[in-house]
Amino acid sequence: MKVRQGTILAAAIGLLAFLAPILISLRLAWIQGISDEQAEGIRFAADSVRRGEETASQIERAMRILRDDHLKPCSPDEVNLMRQIDIGSSNLQTVGRISGNLVLCSSLGITTPIDVGQPTFTSSFGIREWLDYNYGPQRLDRLDIIDFNGIAILVDPKLLVDLDTGGQGVELAVTVPSTSSPMHLITSTASFKPQWLQPIAPGLSSSYIDGAFVVSQVRSSKHDLAAVSILPIALAYHHVKEFAAIFVPIGCVCGIILALAVAYVGRQRLSPEGLLKTAARNQDFYLEYQPVIELRTGRIVGAEALVRWKRGDTVISPASFIPLAEEIGIIALITRNVLNIVTRDLPRLLAVDPGFHVAVNLTATDLKAAAIVDRLTDVLQTSGASPGNLVVEATEHGLVNGPECFQVISQLHARGFRIAIDDFGTGYSNLSSLQELHLDLLKIDKGFIDTIQADGTSSELVPHIIDIARSLRIQIVAEGVETEAQTRFLTSRGVEYAQGWFFSHAVRIDDLCTLLDTQPLLTPPSTVLV
């Protein structure tokens, strides 16, 4: 039964993986179709606004010429000037003089004053307008009359909305935003709804869907006018079909790829990389602490935090997963896990020995991230420790790996942290780089410690490394000490600290606290001069 349920679930997930991209592609096609429809609507409205701005500019020019012509109003010379303005203006029908409600003369000639009655409205700028007025010798032309300071301009409002929209049922309207009445419109049809007008700021545009229509509006940034276009939403279906023809095949391909990816991810989750990423996200690591002994007194004065990863009954060596974590880019997550555990454990250790220190290992990747400085500072603030309670360990490769590392080390020094170079002698550093780093501790790699024989002899490298540290006034920690002979040799050479199985294996926090709490004051081992 469970097998059947699993098969059904797998089939459902596979079907969903296949159908989801197709459904998404249809949705994207619809969104793109509507977006194109809105863009087209804004384009139509913007064209009306541009035509309106052009008309307004011609009106302003005509008014400026008549205002400054210094000719007798309605004289033959001025009427002739009006005709010149009229001929030179593509969007103006007639230019004239008006007094009150009487048109005194125009570019059509000097006639008996024409009473045009009360204006339809007066804008907030003091401009009077008569909308849709029958004018001309036979009073057949339906024009708008605009009056400002006694100068009358007659225009055909239909010019503003007479655009080529492809015969798609598009409606256009032009309005004067400074008036509140929705009647003050120029529309291409009689079916324009006043609620389609929405207040917007000068120079802006907007578009929205109102039932079966796409409503787009553009307001001029220069003049008191705005334009609205109304497009049937059915026009978007044509665009949807076009985009669906593109997106749906892509969706099918994506569905197949996604189904294959689901299977691939399932396999990847069981790969070492996948398991390590999961462990990092779930914080599945723990710490063991390798005690650090002060050789002069034989007491435990610190410990190195060693990260461990246990899967089932198997403990995986850090040498196996730390390089892999750096390679796949998740070492920062593991470092964060380690620092969280150290933050939790430090108060217990300091309660037993306030001078105790914990050394944490940072990789080259960690040292290139400036955020590590604040993260280490957070460890101190949260745990109540001081900078002297935390030692930052880095390999030679990490310390000399670019200027970013030097900068981070300098910042850590400035905040009081002690810096140790780990596994010294196995990397690429030189004396000048060590001097520049201003290190506090130098850790001799276990491989060199192993060369110390029972008779007190060793390779020439160990004394040489000790001499380098002495010349730089750097304290020394010997790693991997496993015999009493090694301990005597290091003590006789003035090495300050050591760690290794001769003193203690790496232990969990509870055992470390017990060791600290019960350790006797040991007599330092005897020394043998070599």
Side-chain angles (χ1 to χ4, degrees):
M1 185 67 179
K2 290 184 178 180
V3 174
R4 182 179 179 184
Q5 290 177 344
T7 302
I8 294 174
L9 179 60
I13 293 175
L15 182 61
L16 179 61
F18 177 73
L19 291 179
I22 298 176
L23 296 175
I24 291 172
S25 65
L26 288 173
R27 177 61 179 169
L28 289 175
W30 171 253
I31 292 173
Q32 187 63 50
I34 292 298
S35 176
D36 282 4
E37 195 75 3
Q38 290 177 316
E40 191 169 19
I42 289 177
R43 180 174 63 83
F44 287 147
D47 286 344
S48 292
V49 166
R50 280 193 293 271
R51 189 169 291 188
E53 290 177 339
E54 181 182 352
T55 301
S57 297
Q58 292 181 12
I59 291 173
E60 291 175 353
R61 175 178 173 275
M63 289 183 172
R64 183 172 62 254
I65 293 173
L66 291 177
R67 183 192 63 206
D68 300 335
D69 63 7
H70 304 297
L71 299 175
K72 183 178 180 180
C74 289
S75 65
D77 289 339
E78 187 174 62
V79 171
N80 185 54
L81 177 61
M82 291 177 184
R83 291 194 181 102
Q84 295 177 22
I85 295 172
D86 192 353
I87 293 172
S89 303
S90 58
N91 294 347
L92 305 187
Q93 301 299 313
T94 306
V95 180
R97 290 280 185 180
I98 188 170
S99 176
N101 298 333
L102 297 176
V103 176
L104 304 178
C105 61
S106 70
S107 55
L108 297 178
I110 302 173
T111 63
T112 303
I114 300 173
D115 188 348
V116 294
Q118 293 297 320
T120 307
F121 69 90
T122 301
S123 75
S124 59
F125 299 99
I127 298 175
R128 298 193 304 164
E129 291 195 32
W130 289 260
L131 302 182
D132 208 23
Y133 183 80
N134 293 104
Y135 195 81
Q138 299 180 2
R139 304 182 67 82
L140 296 178
D141 299 326
R142 305 185 69 85
L143 305 176
D144 286 354
I145 304 174
I146 302 169
D147 163 33
F148 187 69
N149 291 337
I151 299 173
I153 307 294
L154 283 72
V155 298
D156 183 357
K158 294 299 183 180
L159 289 175
L160 304 183
V161 293
D162 186 20
L163 301 179
D164 181 11
T165 59
Q168 306 177 79
V170 178
E171 298 185 25
L172 294 171
V174 176
T175 183
V176 179
S178 65
T179 63
S180 58
S181 173
M183 293 180 60
H184 301 153
L185 310 165
I186 303 164
T187 62
S188 58
T189 66
S191 59
F192 189 87
K193 297 178 182 180
Q195 62 265 29
W196 284 333
L197 293 175
Q198 299 290 333
I200 60 173
L204 298 185
S205 63
S206 67
S207 186
Y208 64 93
I209 297 175
D210 181 19
F213 299 96
V214 174
V215 182
S216 303
Q217 184 174 188
V218 175
R219 183 169 176 180
S220 172
S221 61
K222 303 176 183 178
H223 301 284
D224 187 20
L225 62 92
V228 183
S229 67
I230 311 299
L231 281 69
I233 201 169
L235 296 178
Y237 296 135
H238 176 68
H239 295 285
V240 171
K241 291 179 181 179
E242 292 179 346
F243 285 106
I246 299 173
F247 285 127
V248 170
I250 294 175
C252 292
V253 173
C254 290
I256 295 172
I257 293 174
L258 183 58
L260 295 174
V262 169
Y264 175 77
V265 169
R267 291 193 298 269
Q268 285 295 104
R269 287 176 62 86
L270 299 178
S271 68
E273 294 86 351
L275 293 172
L276 185 56
K277 288 180 180 179
T278 301
R281 286 193 296 266
N282 296 338
Q283 302 185 28
D284 291 339
F285 300 97
Y286 68 94
L287 292 185
E288 287 185 346
Y289 293 94
Q290 177 71 57
V292 175
I293 309 301
E294 185 180 40
L295 291 176
R296 183 179 59 83
T297 63
R299 293 185 61 82
I300 301 173
V301 294
E304 180 182 358
L306 303 174
V307 64
R308 299 287 187 256
W309 178 25
K310 187 174 183 180
R311 295 199 69 250
D313 296 329
T314 303
V315 176
I316 302 174
S317 169
S320 299
F321 68 82
I322 292 298
L324 179 60
E326 285 197 271
E327 180 182 341
I328 63 179
I330 62 168
I331 190 63
L333 289 177
I334 297 178
T335 300
R336 187 183 306 165
N337 288 181
V338 170
L339 294 181
N340 287 340
I341 299 172
V342 169
T343 303
R344 181 192 65 199
D345 292 346
L346 263 176
R348 296 182 59 186
L349 298 169
L350 298 182
V352 180
D353 181 1
F356 195 83
H357 75 263
V358 172
V360 293
N361 292 278
L362 298 184
T363 66
T365 302
D366 295 322
L367 290 173
K368 287 185 177 181
I372 193 65
V373 179
D374 292 331
R375 183 68 189 89
L376 290 169
T377 303
D378 290 341
V379 172
L380 301 183
Q381 294 175 346
T382 304
S383 64
S386 65
N389 297 126
L390 204 60
V391 175
V392 175
E393 289 190 10
T395 62
E396 288 184 81
H397 173 68
L399 287 173
V400 300
N401 193 6
E404 302 94 339
C405 298
F406 278 77
Q407 185 176 359
V408 169
I409 293 297
S410 298
Q411 293 177 9
L412 291 173
H413 265 302
R415 298 196 184 188
F417 292 97
R418 289 189 292 168
I419 310 298
I421 182 169
D422 196 11
D423 300 331
F424 181 76
T426 63
Y428 310 97
S429 62
N430 52 48
L431 190 59
S432 62
S433 63
L434 293 180
Q435 290 175 321
E436 186 177 352
L437 287 167
H438 302 294
L439 299 171
D440 302 288
L441 295 166
L442 183 151
K443 302 188 74 173
I444 304 177
D445 182 72
K446 181 181 182 303
F448 297 113
I449 300 300
D450 288 341
T451 66
I452 301 175
Q453 305 299 318
D455 60 0
T457 61
S458 72
S459 71
E460 295 181 359
L461 283 175
V462 176
H464 180 61
I465 292 173
I466 295 174
D467 290 341
I468 290 176
R470 290 287 169 265
S471 67
L472 296 174
R473 298 181 181 179
I474 301 174
Q475 292 184 315
I476 301 172
V477 181
E479 295 184 291
V481 178
E482 297 180 353
T483 67
E484 184 176 356
Q486 292 171 346
T487 304
R488 289 198 305 268
F489 177 89
L490 296 168
T491 304
S492 69
R493 294 286 180 166
V495 173
E496 291 86 356
Y497 307 103
Q499 62 186 73
W501 289 1
F502 180 72
F503 306 103
S504 172
H505 287 72
V507 296
R508 301 294 288 268
I509 181 64
D510 292 337
D511 295 330
L512 180 59
C513 290
T514 299
L515 287 175
L516 288 177
D517 198 36
T518 60
Q519 69 174 340
L521 181 61
L522 300 178
T523 302
S526 59
T527 61
V528 177
L529 298 178
V530 295

